[in-house]
Amino acid sequence: MSRVDELVQLLGQQYVLTGDDAEPYIVDWRGRYSGKALAVVKPGSTDEVAQVVRWCAANKIPMVPQGGNTGLCGGATPDSTGQAVVLSLTRLNQVRSVDTDNDTMVVEAGCVLQSVQQAARDVQRLFPLSLAAEGSCTVGGNLATNAGGTQVLRYGNTRDLVLGVEVVTAQGDIWHGLRGLRKDNTGYDLRNLYIGSEGTLGIITAATVKLYPLPVAQCTALLALNSVEDAVSVLSAARNGFGAALTGFELIAGNCLQGVVECYPQQRIPFEGDAARMPWYALLELSDSESAEHARERFETVVGAAIEAELVQDAVIAENITQSKALWHLRESIPLAEKAFGKSIKHDVSVPVSRMAEFVQTTNAALQASFPGIQHVIFGHLGDGNLHYNVAKGQARTEEDLLAQQDAVYELVHDSVHQFGGSISAEHGVGQLKRDALPRYKDPVELALMRRIKQVLDPDGLMNPGKMLIP
Amino acid sequence: MSRVDELVQLLGQQYVLTGDDAEPYIVDWRGRYSGKALAVVKPGSTDEVAQVVRWCAANKIPMVPQGGNTGLCGGATPDSTGQAVVLSLTRLNQVRSVDTDNDTMVVEAGCVLQSVQQAARDVQRLFPLSLAAEGSCTVGGNLATNAGGTQVLRYGNTRDLVLGVEVVTAQGDIWHGLRGLRKDNTGYDLRNLYIGSEGTLGIITAATVKLYPLPVAQCTALLALNSVEDAVSVLSAARNGFGAALTGFELIAGNCLQGVVECYPQQRIPFEGDAARMPWYALLELSDSESAEHARERFETVVGAAIEAELVQDAVIAENITQSKALWHLRESIPLAEKAFGKSIKHDVSVPVSRMAEFVQTTNAALQASFPGIQHVIFGHLGDGNLHYNVAKGQARTEEDLLAQQDAVYELVHDSVHQFGGSISAEHGVGQLKRDALPRYKDPVELALMRRIKQVLDPDGLMNPGKMLIP
């Protein structure tokens, strides 16, 4: 019996894909990574996942776990040897239980993020994880990569939203760790070890996630700013003034908004005169547990004081949900406004918030020195110190010229990030994209510890090989 | 040269304690655990910690890291063989840096918790970790045990308050992991692996902790309740009504308050008539970023609705800080009111909040069936599902009779906790106290994973042997 036949015997014909059927699973959604696979399998339960893993382990066959296949670092794409089995978790898509008194929900790895958000809303709760791919990414992928997004400032990364996990180990054992406890000090934190491990230590099949009260009202404002320094000062004032009600603080360079309205003429920058041509903007979101009036009143007080202090040059506070959505839409359109800038070299980086201004200034200057005329396309989650620091061709060169310099640009930016005590992957993970850069920036003791953990939990190196760590 | 002489050579005479000088470090503060040690050493820097660890590793000498020696599970006390070196971290007591724009602070392991809270307050920030021993426990001990406390409902456990750690590994290497980043997805979560590992994997020498805005106002209320069910409903309403402003929700059985006023006649239960003799009370704390008036107004709205819904039978809202302190003082006096109940058998347990009422009812009944006349002394952090579920002798037996039954009582309560999906150690850790119970309650796959992690990070088993895991 062939190996594929053995898998068919385990799961049934329709859940073992090869040839053209397998194609969507072995190329990432942007078409930047592609590989080959022995087969793509779609187990329908945790037990079936465990069976497949045991079979792979027994036959020394590498495994590549996959969720919605929306990752940005090639972490869910098999290599080109065609030896691996891709384990698509998409059939594990049940919300197993909802517990409103405990404010928890047990969801399977294959649940699409948006459906989890909806299941929470159905019981008047908030599941705060929110990111661009939420309509197609899965919770399993979110956990595997410790996904970030726009609400991290208030609610933390995926890791902070999870109380328990169910994991199939590299040996095919099932760890039933779906505890819904906010306090449990009975051992090592294995939960957080599997979260963010990109499928290299085992396969997360389900999770117990935290729910929060739905905000009664949300209020959004766009502020026009002179500098990143001022943005950092406003962030500090907003934290103090709003406390935990501050749920979003996005920094946007002026040229990003210009690019958006150039690409999408139906959108507009909601300022007149000089304020429409500022070097920086900040998008703030306030979530209120009282009322829309209260939210607006708070906003006016805190933003008013910042204007008084000349930290903010102008401000637009959304009058209603439509205006609020329009402001967020401006922000969300930036990554799509490639027409304005051409394809860019993207960096998902973080530095301490206190060093943000100096980081931007220093890195911009260094890039201009090495690549004159290059264009900076900078936006991100200032509240988390996370910038999408992108580099576009500018007027002086073609897209091809720029992309030919990609490795040198990466290295310059990442070296700078490193000098400022930052991270070369803030929220997207390592995958294949940043694997080889890790040894340059990671503390060697830490990297050695990671290798030892990998070695002891996956001694045969079968779990998502080639991702995160150089094999 | 004797081994002690070698240590003296490393650290200097005054920092190597033996004989009587060592005594305070080899007995825990309550005198429940005592051991022997080759020596107690007090390194003065991370490098010196690393030197001691390398020396111990080379000589196969067990190491017992120790902070303020205020633990409740014997996790910092050496065994009776006298072979181990106790490493007291108390000389590493510097606040290395404070970064208000990044809202972080780098503190050394030996800093007393209260001094860290104060250093935060000095820059108008809150470091929210707060627990009974804060005047003498150290941050290193808090991290080693992932300490909880009264603010977990809002700010999480110690783990949630830490962004980076500096660790001396079991081999004596230093991992410089003091990142002050809110987003960093470049590898396995080693930080959380060391936090809560009770010194069994390495020694945490410093941490980068998160700071929060200082609340502008705090408001406290004591509610008189008919049942735990009602308390859970009020918690839910308070979460919805206050959002993140709800920073405390303590459940207190009526007899605990009676015991406090019996022991400390200068304290009083601030109710009249029936409300002074209710079976349950809840202490709520609201932290406001606006004003005392606003806090009080919010309280009146939400508590008013709960009274309307007959979930709350009576309520006292503190009019000022003195009254607020008096309410907290009632709560904090419960563990000290032993005169009223006699020595009790203590359980630090958690269950999902939604199962709390049934857990208390079922466990109380089972205890009465097996140990008639026993007295329940129950209080805890309902918001986190964490109860200090204590058992006192009652009228029918002596303290000695009770303590003779200790193991049977432990087992009954812990078995019940386990049946309700709970944890036998919510916030105090495992140490020596609960080590042998772990295999009974822990998922065997999880326990095996823990052993493998221990094995690979500390192959010689020298780091705090006999704690958490059976060697």
Side-chain angles (χ1 to χ4, degrees):
Chain A
M1 193 155 52
S2 79
R3 291 191 151 171
V4 172
D5 289 340
E6 289 181 37
L7 286 166
V8 168
Q9 204 165 49
L10 281 179
L11 300 178
Q13 185 75 56
Q14 68 188 118
Y15 300 123
V16 179
L17 313 181
T18 55
D20 286 354
D21 293 342
E23 194 62 21
Y25 301 86
I26 59 175
V27 181
D28 83 304
W29 67 288
R30 296 187 301 178
R32 300 209 180 171
Y33 299 91
S34 69
K36 289 180 184 156
L38 176 67
V40 174
V41 300
K42 303 182 94 176
S45 67
T46 302
D47 279 334
E48 286 192 355
V49 174
Q51 284 174 43
V52 172
V53 171
R54 283 197 295 269
W55 180 86
C56 288
N59 293 287
K60 301 270 189 281
I61 289 174
M63 293 161 261
V64 180
Q66 189 178 92
N69 197 16
T70 61
L72 296 165
C73 303
T77 309
D79 67 18
S80 57
T81 61
Q83 292 174 344
V85 166
V86 174
L87 271 111
S88 168
L89 278 291
T90 48
R91 286 179 65 217
L92 277 75
N93 61 1
Q94 299 299 304
V95 174
R96 288 195 197 159
S97 62
V98 181
D99 182 343
T100 50
D101 274 336
N102 198 44
D103 276 330
T104 52
M105 192 157 69
V106 179
V107 296
E108 293 185 339
C111 289
V112 170
L113 174 54
Q114 210 163 56
S115 71
V116 174
Q117 295 167 343
Q118 188 55 49
R121 258 194 306 272
D122 288 346
V123 292
Q124 282 75 57
R125 293 293 187 281
L126 174 73
F127 180 62
L129 185 64
S130 176
L131 43 94
E134 61 197 25
S136 43
C137 67
T138 63
V139 169
N142 299 148
L143 269 82
T145 58
N146 184 32
T150 58
Q151 303 282 298
V152 174
L153 173 63
R154 161 66 182 99
Y155 298 100
N157 297 288
T158 298
R159 198 167 265 145
D160 301 299
L161 302 174
V162 176
L163 292 177
V165 288
E166 180 185 85
V167 169
V168 175
T169 69
Q171 291 71 43
D173 295 322
I174 301 172
W175 168 32
H176 300 282
L178 289 172
R179 290 184 282 259
L181 303 173
R182 282 176 174 72
K183 281 184 175 171
D184 177 20
N185 276 345
T186 57
Y188 302 150
D189 189 353
L190 301 175
R191 174 185 77 213
N192 281 321
L193 192 59
Y194 282 104
I195 298 176
S197 68
E198 303 188 3
T200 64
L201 300 177
I203 301 177
I204 298 170
T205 50
T208 304
V209 300
K210 291 187 201 169
L211 302 178
Y212 289 84
L214 271 178
V216 171
Q218 286 188 311
C219 193
T220 312
L222 189 69
L223 314 182
L225 306 165
N226 275 329
S227 65
V228 179
E229 283 91 335
D230 284 356
V232 170
S233 299
V234 174
L235 171 64
S236 196
R239 277 184 193 273
N240 277 311
F242 300 140
L246 181 67
T247 47
F249 197 111
E250 301 284 304
L251 180 71
I252 307 168
N255 69 335
C256 294
L257 290 194
Q258 304 293 350
V260 167
V261 296
E262 200 177 296
C263 279
Y264 305 102
Q266 72 279 22
Q267 294 198 48
R268 57 178 290 273
I269 300 176
F271 291 108
E272 305 294 332
D274 286 349
R277 288 180 299 274
M278 297 297 282
W280 296 98
Y281 295 89
L283 182 67
L284 271 70
E285 184 189 75
L286 179 64
S287 295
D288 199 275
S289 55
E290 292 179 48
S291 66
E293 297 68 43
H294 180 255
R296 206 185 150 80
E297 197 185 291
R298 291 300 298 150
F299 235 145
E300 284 169 358
T301 306
V302 173
V303 172
I307 290 176
E308 198 88 344
E310 296 183 16
L311 293 171
V312 171
Q313 305 312 310
D314 204 347
V316 169
I317 302 181
E319 293 283 344
N320 51 47
I321 290 181
T322 310
Q323 285 182 15
S324 173
K325 282 193 173 159
L327 293 182
W328 272 107
H329 192 46
L330 270 173
R331 159 65 181 85
E332 284 155 3
S333 301
I334 300 168
L336 307 170
E338 285 204 332
K339 241 194 330 192
F341 308 109
K343 275 193 179 160
S344 64
I345 301 175
K346 297 178 167 57
H347 306 86
D348 163 42
V349 300
S350 63
V351 296
V353 173
S354 50
R355 310 206 66 191
M356 188 64 92
E358 198 190 344
F359 164 76
V360 170
Q361 195 177 32
T362 308
T363 315
N364 283 3
L367 275 171
Q368 287 302 334
S370 296
F371 310 96
I374 227 162
Q375 194 177 10
H376 312 289
V377 182
I378 302 174
F379 59 98
H381 319 293
L382 183 68
D384 322 315
N386 177 194
L387 281 191
H388 298 298
Y389 183 97
N390 298 341
V391 176
K393 64 183 178 61
Q395 303 299 322
R397 49 172 72 72
T398 64
E399 240 173 61
E400 290 66 38
D401 285 348
L402 177 77
L403 294 178
Q405 309 268 25
Q406 179 159 283
D407 287 344
V409 172
Y410 277 155
E411 192 161 295
L412 187 153
V413 173
H414 289 162
D415 280 1
S416 180
V417 164
H418 187 61
Q419 270 159 20
F420 280 88
S423 166
I424 65 161
S425 181
E427 57 175 8
H428 297 165
V430 179
Q432 301 180 47
L433 178 63
K434 294 180 181 174
R435 184 193 75 172
D436 295 344
L438 229 50
R440 186 175 173 95
Y441 304 112
K442 202 89 178 162
D443 183 295
V445 173
E446 185 177 5
L447 206 54
L449 289 166
M450 282 173 57
R451 291 193 169 286
R452 286 157 73 183
I453 301 272
K454 168 76 174 172
Q455 223 285 316
V456 75
L457 295 188
D458 177 27
D460 293 327
L462 299 176
M463 299 309 307
N464 212 7
K467 313 300 159 52
M468 190 182 283
L469 291 167
I470 299 168
Chain B
M1 191 157 49
S2 80
R3 289 188 155 174
V4 172
D5 289 340
E6 288 181 38
L7 286 166
V8 168
Q9 203 165 49
L10 281 179
L11 300 178
Q13 186 76 55
Q14 68 187 120
Y15 300 122
V16 179
L17 313 181
T18 55
D20 285 354
D21 294 341
E23 195 62 21
Y25 302 87
I26 59 176
V27 180
D28 83 304
W29 67 289
R30 296 186 301 177
R32 300 208 181 172
Y33 300 91
S34 70
K36 290 180 184 156
L38 176 67
V40 174
V41 301
K42 304 182 94 175
S45 66
T46 302
D47 278 334
E48 286 193 354
V49 174
Q51 283 174 43
V52 172
V53 171
R54 284 196 295 270
W55 180 86
C56 287
N59 293 287
K60 300 270 188 282
I61 289 175
M63 292 160 261
V64 179
Q66 188 177 94
N69 197 16
T70 62
L72 296 164
C73 301
T77 310
D79 67 18
S80 58
T81 62
Q83 293 174 344
V85 166
V86 174
L87 271 111
S88 168
L89 278 291
T90 47
R91 285 180 65 218
L92 277 75
N93 61 0
Q94 298 300 305
V95 174
R96 288 196 196 157
S97 63
V98 181
D99 182 343
T100 50
D101 274 336
N102 198 44
D103 276 330
T104 52
M105 192 157 69
V106 179
V107 296
E108 292 185 339
C111 290
V112 170
L113 174 54
Q114 209 163 57
S115 72
V116 174
Q117 295 167 342
Q118 188 55 49
R121 257 194 307 270
D122 289 346
V123 292
Q124 282 76 55
R125 294 293 187 281
L126 173 73
F127 179 61
L129 185 64
S130 175
L131 44 95
E134 61 197 27
S136 42
C137 66
T138 63
V139 169
N142 299 148
L143 269 83
T145 58
N146 184 31
T150 58
Q151 303 281 298
V152 174
L153 173 63
R154 161 66 183 99
Y155 299 101
N157 298 289
T158 299
R159 198 167 266 145
D160 301 299
L161 301 174
V162 177
L163 292 177
V165 288
E166 178 184 85
V167 169
V168 174
T169 69
Q171 291 71 43
D173 295 323
I174 301 171
W175 168 32
H176 300 281
L178 288 172
R179 289 184 283 260
L181 303 173
R182 281 175 173 73
K183 282 183 173 171
D184 177 21
N185 276 344
T186 56
Y188 302 150
D189 189 353
L190 301 175
R191 174 185 77 212
N192 282 320
L193 193 60
Y194 283 104
I195 298 175
S197 68
E198 303 187 5
T200 64
L201 300 177
I203 301 177
I204 298 171
T205 49
T208 304
V209 301
K210 292 186 201 170
L211 302 178
Y212 290 84
L214 271 179
V216 170
Q218 285 188 310
C219 193
T220 312
L222 188 69
L223 314 183
L225 306 164
N226 276 328
S227 65
V228 180
E229 284 91 336
D230 285 356
V232 169
S233 299
V234 174
L235 171 64
S236 196
R239 276 185 193 274
N240 278 310
F242 301 139
L246 180 67
T247 48
F249 197 111
E250 302 284 304
L251 180 71
I252 307 168
N255 68 335
C256 294
L257 290 195
Q258 303 293 350
V260 168
V261 296
E262 201 177 295
C263 280
Y264 305 103
Q266 71 280 22
Q267 295 199 46
R268 58 177 290 273
I269 301 176
F271 291 108
E272 304 295 334
D274 286 349
R277 289 181 299 274
M278 297 297 282
W280 296 98
Y281 295 88
L283 182 66
L284 272 70
E285 184 189 75
L286 180 65
S287 295
D288 200 275
S289 54
E290 292 178 49
S291 65
E293 296 69 41
H294 180 256
R296 206 183 151 80
E297 197 184 290
R298 291 301 297 151
F299 234 143
E300 284 169 356
T301 306
V302 172
V303 173
I307 291 176
E308 198 87 347
E310 295 183 16
L311 293 171
V312 171
Q313 306 310 311
D314 204 347
V316 169
I317 302 181
E319 294 283 345
N320 50 48
I321 290 180
T322 311
Q323 286 183 15
S324 173
K325 282 194 173 157
L327 293 182
W328 272 107
H329 193 45
L330 270 174
R331 158 66 181 86
E332 285 155 3
S333 301
I334 300 168
L336 307 171
E338 285 203 333
K339 241 195 327 190
F341 307 110
K343 274 192 179 159
S344 63
I345 301 176
K346 297 178 166 59
H347 306 86
D348 163 44
V349 301
S350 64
V351 296
V353 173
S354 51
R355 309 205 66 190
M356 188 64 90
E358 199 190 344
F359 164 76
V360 170
Q361 195 176 31
T362 307
T363 315
N364 283 3
L367 276 172
Q368 286 302 334
S370 296
F371 311 96
I374 226 162
Q375 194 177 11
H376 313 288
V377 182
I378 303 173
F379 60 98
H381 319 292
L382 183 69
D384 323 315
N386 177 195
L387 282 192
H388 298 299
Y389 183 97
N390 298 342
V391 176
K393 64 183 180 59
Q395 302 299 323
R397 49 172 70 71
T398 64
E399 240 173 60
E400 291 64 38
D401 286 347
L402 177 78
L403 295 176
Q405 308 269 26
Q406 179 159 285
D407 288 345
V409 172
Y410 277 155
E411 192 161 296
L412 188 152
V413 173
H414 289 162
D415 281 0
S416 180
V417 164
H418 188 61
Q419 269 160 22
F420 280 89
S423 166
I424 65 162
S425 181
E427 57 175 9
H428 297 164
V430 178
Q432 302 179 47
L433 178 63
K434 295 182 181 172
R435 184 194 74 172
D436 295 344
L438 230 49
R440 185 177 174 94
Y441 304 112
K442 203 90 179 160
D443 182 296
V445 172
E446 185 177 4
L447 206 54
L449 289 166
M450 282 172 58
R451 291 193 170 286
R452 286 156 74 183
I453 301 272
K454 168 76 175 171
Q455 223 286 317
V456 75
L457 295 189
D458 177 28
D460 292 327
L462 298 176
M463 299 308 307
N464 212 5
K467 313 300 160 50
M468 191 183 283
L469 292 167
I470 300 168

